[in-house]
Amino acid sequence: MATWRRLERDDSHPPLEAMVQGTHALTHAIAEAQKAGKISDRFAPVDLLALVLVIAAMWPALPPELAANVRTHSTAQRRKVITDAVSTLTAT
């Protein structure tokens, strides 16, 4: 649903309350983890969430010229790149 909403990108649709609440819950959980010292606080919770979401969705978003270079990556390799990147972003 979130991906479809990104495609629409106009102001004619009000925010979906379930998505607003979900985003609030996630940013709150990130803030709590940061306060507890479990993850880095170098990024604001909302910025960290945005970074993680974009990284998680990066493979299909690649331009064809770059995608051609990573076609041989297995699902496991792609997953590792994403989890390593997120681990680096959140490391304390």
Side-chain angles (χ1 to χ4, degrees), residues 55-59 77-87:
I55 290 169
M58 73 181 200
W59 295 114
Q77 287 172 304
R78 289 177 182 217
R79 183 184 319 265
K80 182 164 176 20
V81 168
I82 291 168
T83 57
D84 287 353
V86 171
S87 292

Side-chain angles (χ1 to χ4, degrees), residues 10-46:
D10 63 19
D11 294 331
S12 64
H13 302 287
L16 296 175
E17 190 55 35
M19 290 175 65
V20 170
Q21 289 177 8
T23 299
H24 178 72
L26 288 170
T27 55
H28 178 74
I30 291 169
E32 291 301 311
Q34 289 174 326
K35 286 178 193 170
K38 294 179 180 178
I39 62 173
S40 171
D41 64 356
R42 78 175 58 93
F43 297 104
V46 69

Side-chain angles (χ1 to χ4, degrees), residues 27 30 34 42-55 89:
T27 55
I30 291 169
Q34 289 174 326
R42 78 175 58 93
F43 297 104
V46 69
D47 297 333
L48 182 56
L49 178 58
L51 286 164
V52 169
L53 291 174
V54 169
I55 290 169
L89 282 172

